[in-house]
Amino acid sequence: LERSKHFSNMNTTCKASTLDFIIRDNDPQMEVVEDDIRKNLEAIGITVNTHFLSADEYTDAELNGDYNLLFTRTWGAPYDPHSYMNSWAVPAHVEYSAIGNLQAPLTREVLLEKIENVQKELSEQKISAQWREILDDIHKQALFLPLWGSRIPYVLNRRLIGFSPSQQAYAIPVQSVLVASGSKNATIAPGVGSIFKSTGPINPHQYSPNALWAQDWIYEGLVSYGQDGEITPALAESWKTELLGDGKRVTFQLREGVKFHDGTDWNCDAAVLNFNHVLSDTVKQRHQWFGTGKYLTSWTCNGDYELVLVTSTPFYPLLQELTYIRPLRFASPSAFAEGTDSHPDLHNSCQSGQFGGKWDFLEEDVTCLGLKAPIGTGPFKFVSRENALDGSDANVVFQGNKEYWGQKPDIDFLTVVQYETTEDVEAALMSGELDMALGIGPLTAKQVQNIKFYHSDKFDVRHSAVIQNSLLVFNGNKAPTDDIKVRRAIIHAVDKSAFLEAEFAGLEQPVDQLLPRTAPYCNVDLSPKWGYDLEKAQFLNCPQDPVATTTTVLESKPLGAGGFAGIIIGVIVGVALIAFIGRMVKREREGKPMFAPAHETAGVSL
């Protein structure tokens, strides 16, 4: 059931190629493993040119396909799998170019159609089966090198207690923190992939440079994302879903008595105003990954505290998408340029120049006036910011919302502080100047583990579950990574376990599939296993020298119908032969040999 392949023991000549490897600067996780990956690939004749890029340069490289390898992360809970994969249809996202040259019969168009269609299903069984097919299709294309599952670290001075790790990527839920001793004011160095530089204007309806965790502190949605994906009430107390024609209608009962930070009432009119601005015909083009914008056909009020949403298809992820930190969280009507009279096209809440390079054309049809101030209903209020010399934020101050409708923050004032390096963050923690370093970025994995094991008397170190996977994306449209054999060789050449043990001190574990198994519909086993196997990598990228000595490596090969028939016939013949020999031995013992001369058996009745 095996076939032989021969590999050269010596004198192998690897196919030389060069890759452009794109990494966003100030990403401490990737900085420590880049050299390991580069050295792994040198072993199979691949040279890696690494480019550490600014946020804008990195985005341009994604859009233009100027890469062979690019380090990124899946979007994590609650965005995986459907919103993350919806984004693949958008040219500004790196995965769009990655899936541009798929192995037949799969094409980008067919894959994107499958991703769109599964979201319109009602049957849980069909949803599960279709996602499994999609994940299997993607896996077999070898377009991603899954590296490790990210567990978000949180380090807190032990004077603070009660912290609960986030269920959602990019959120840092400090409202659960209680002050056990000392000042009611606290300092924090946050991160969602890099060291903190700025919160941006903290506009809930837009993307970078707005910091997600800051948006989450100030603004809220209709519902929240709980443990294991449970949808829990937030600014809506309850909801009812009904099928309506080809789509569905969801009626939300809004929470009464809630105030925005400026004292304005939260009600249905405030909700509709925000919907109008985020989902205007022009602005919603920026949210192409957001299925709600595509399938939601109306949002209306039935009284002050009843909001009715209608969709054109069943669109099963609607409630899940309404838990997202952006773009559909709610700002106070008073923060809009013209208050409740703000027109979605003439006075939109969008910030001018912040749609992102590819989307600048949208401002030809809409006037972006932004928000006067970051005012929401959330557990923290924005107070002030102090700028650094380079224009970034030296510090930003937030105040606990003592009128909050939910669990009121115990912290009075929370100051976000910028540090230049992870060493500076660690030193500030040790001196007591800094109370918390929360998220991926402010500390390296080794620093986190060092604090956990050697300074546990002073600090409480927590970790989330695996929320998102870190990975390398291959550009299927650019040589040499347009060749699936090259991609497979790279996958098998990278020794993840070795560098994770050396650089992450046990904090992260290697993964072999694109999405975390904790993501909805993603707890499936996929083949082949994309693990480290240098021999396979060499076979794929290092052709055998015909004069070299060889060793035999066995590899499984599926059998055809003829092969199975041969095995069956062989088994039958073998069994018959054994039976015949057994009978012959028995006859010998009885003195009646089967092959005795004729005179010896004469007169014997058989």
Side-chain angles (χ1 to χ4, degrees):
L1 307 189
E2 308 279 338
R3 68 181 175 90
S4 296
K5 277 187 178 177
H6 296 285
F7 292 90
S8 174
N9 276 347
M10 55 185 174
N11 299 329
T12 55
T13 303
C14 295
K15 288 183 281 189
S17 55
T18 301
L19 306 180
D20 288 316
F21 185 15
I22 304 302
I23 301 172
R24 185 167 171 173
D25 59 8
N26 295 318
D27 189 321
Q29 285 194 328
M30 201 58 215
E31 286 176 0
V32 298
V33 302
E34 176 272 334
D35 60 328
D36 297 282
I37 293 171
R38 184 162 33 81
K39 290 172 184 175
N40 285 164
L41 297 187
E42 284 175 0
I44 60 169
I46 295 177
T47 300
V48 176
N49 293 330
T50 305
H51 308 275
F52 290 92
L53 304 181
S54 68
D56 289 340
E57 291 170 333
Y58 181 92
T59 301
D60 287 342
E62 284 188 289
L63 176 60
N64 299 321
D66 292 337
Y67 69 95
N68 291 110
L69 285 178
L70 184 145
F71 176 73
T72 187
R73 298 175 178 89
T74 64
W75 287 11
Y79 310 93
D80 293 340
H82 82 277
S83 286
Y84 172 52
M85 291 192 186
N86 282 344
S87 76
W88 297 7
V90 183
H93 290 272
V94 63
E95 292 82 4
Y96 180 85
S97 54
I99 62 174
N101 184 26
L102 300 178
Q103 298 291 300
L106 193 64
T107 65
R108 177 162 57 198
E109 292 69 29
V110 169
L111 177 60
L112 293 176
E113 185 178 13
K114 288 183 177 185
I115 293 168
E116 180 178 359
N117 288 342
V118 68
Q119 297 171 59
K120 301 175 184 178
E121 288 290 348
L122 284 171
S123 164
E124 187 72 18
Q125 185 176 6
K126 288 183 178 179
I127 294 171
S128 181
Q130 288 179 32
W131 272 120
R132 183 183 183 92
E133 180 181 321
I134 291 167
L135 293 171
D136 189 59
D137 284 345
I138 296 166
H139 186 80
K140 284 183 167 59
Q141 295 289 327
L143 290 167
F144 301 91
L145 170 49
L147 295 173
W148 63 84
S150 293
R151 299 168 60 217
I152 301 173
Y154 308 96
V155 179
L156 299 91
N157 188 295
R158 286 201 175 275
R159 78 181 193 87
L160 305 175
I161 60 175
F163 178 80
S164 298
S166 175
Q167 304 295 327
Q168 182 170 157
Y170 316 115
I172 300 177
V174 286
Q175 64 267 28
S176 63
V177 173
L178 303 174
V179 180
S181 63
S183 171
K184 284 283 189 176
N185 301 334
T187 52
I188 177 174
V192 289
S194 60
I195 293 178
F196 163 73
K197 294 296 182 184
S198 175
T199 65
I202 322 182
N203 184 322
H205 302 157
Q206 290 197 280
Y207 307 101
S208 179
N210 296 280
L212 282 144
W213 47 266
Q215 291 169 311
D216 189 49
W217 290 354
I218 290 179
Y219 304 102
E220 297 178 289
L222 294 171
V223 288
S224 295
Y225 191 80
Q227 188 169 354
D228 299 323
E230 180 187 9
I231 307 299
T232 60
L235 290 179
E237 289 185 315
S238 62
W239 54 91
K240 179 175 68 174
T241 301
E242 306 164 282
L243 292 179
L244 184 68
D246 293 332
K248 68 182 178 183
R249 175 173 58 210
V250 185
T251 303
F252 293 91
Q253 297 301 320
L254 304 184
R255 193 177 296 277
E256 299 186 31
V258 175
K259 300 281 189 182
F260 287 96
H261 299 155
D262 62 350
T264 301
D265 288 335
W266 154 253
N267 55 34
C268 191
D269 287 339
V272 166
L273 176 65
N274 280 263
F275 270 87
N276 287 343
H277 282 245
V278 174
L279 300 182
S280 76
D281 289 341
T282 298
V283 173
K284 74 177 180 181
Q285 295 176 57
R286 178 60 181 90
H287 312 306
Q288 289 182 11
W289 62 273
F290 191 53
T292 297
K294 183 174 184 177
Y295 299 116
L296 194 62
T297 58
S298 68
W299 44 93
T300 57
C301 294
N302 184 16
D304 289 342
Y305 291 97
E306 189 169 281
L307 173 67
V308 182
L309 305 184
V310 176
T311 63
S312 59
T313 72
F315 187 54
Y316 82 79
L318 176 64
L319 289 176
Q320 187 172 331
E321 289 202 350
L322 294 177
T323 70
Y324 294 176
I325 294 174
R326 60 192 184 197
L328 256 179
R329 290 207 177 175
F330 301 103
S332 172
S334 67
F336 287 73
E338 298 295 329
T340 56
D341 295 326
S342 297
H343 191 278
D345 293 329
L346 303 178
H347 324 105
N348 198 275
S349 61
C350 55
Q351 202 85 19
S352 182
Q354 290 188 6
F355 276 125
K358 180 183 182 298
W359 308 98
D360 287 343
F361 72 91
L362 293 177
E363 291 202 53
E364 296 173 7
D365 299 312
V366 65
T367 301
C368 291
L369 298 181
L371 297 172
K372 297 175 185 176
I375 304 171
T377 60
F380 286 90
K381 303 176 182 181
F382 173 80
V383 176
S384 65
R385 75 175 76 232
E386 180 182 341
N387 292 330
L389 293 176
D390 63 358
S392 62
D393 294 337
N395 63 71
V396 184
V397 180
F398 298 83
Q399 183 179 13
N401 180 9
K402 302 305 181 183
E403 306 300 319
Y404 185 54
W405 61 267
Q407 179 185 351
K408 295 175 176 55
D410 196 37
I411 294 173
D412 286 341
F413 289 94
L414 180 63
T415 302
V416 180
V417 184
Q418 180 184 159
Y419 293 91
E420 286 297 317
T421 67
T422 59
E423 290 76 17
D424 293 337
V425 173
E426 184 178 27
L429 283 169
M430 293 301 175
S431 70
E433 169 192 318
L434 181 66
D435 290 308
M436 298 177 279
L438 306 184
I440 296 173
L443 294 170
T444 67
K446 282 187 175 180
Q447 287 173 315
V448 171
Q449 296 296 73
N450 180 67
I451 292 172
K452 180 177 182 178
F453 293 118
Y454 299 106
H455 301 280
S456 59
D457 58 328
K458 295 180 181 178
F459 299 100
D460 179 20
V461 178
R462 304 286 184 93
H463 304 282
S464 73
V466 173
I467 286 183
Q468 57 189 152
N469 283 354
S470 296
L471 55 118
L472 299 182
V473 182
F474 297 104
N475 188 345
N477 272 330
K478 182 178 179 180
T481 47
D482 57 346
D483 183 346
I484 192 170
K485 286 182 67 176
V486 172
R487 299 197 299 267
R488 289 173 58 202
I490 293 170
I491 288 172
H492 290 306
V494 175
D495 189 357
K496 295 176 279 192
S497 295
F499 67 64
L500 287 176
E501 181 178 349
E503 305 294 352
F504 288 78
L507 179 61
E508 311 290 21
Q509 299 299 316
V511 293
D512 60 9
Q513 297 183 181
L514 172 63
L515 294 168
R517 289 179 178 269
T518 53
Y521 310 108
C522 294
N523 189 17
V524 295
D525 284 316
L526 302 173
S527 294
K529 298 300 181 187
W530 294 133
Y532 173 63
D533 189 331
L534 183 58
E535 210 163 49
K536 254 184 201 174
Q538 289 173 331
F539 171 76
L540 290 164
N541 204 60
C542 304
Q544 176 192 354
D545 184 336
V547 300
T549 60
T550 61
T551 58
T552 298
V553 178
L554 297 178
E555 177 177 285
S556 296
K557 177 183 179 182
L559 289 171
F564 279 110
I567 291 173
I568 292 170
I569 292 170
V571 170
I572 293 171
V573 171
V575 171
L577 181 61
I578 291 170
F580 177 78
I581 293 171
R583 185 179 178 196
M584 184 174 67
V585 170
K586 181 181 178 183
R587 291 286 297 270
E588 287 286 339
R589 289 176 177 173
E590 292 174 350
K592 303 174 183 179
M594 294 181 67
F595 301 104
H599 71 274
E600 292 183 11
T601 59
V604 178
S605 178
L606 297 179

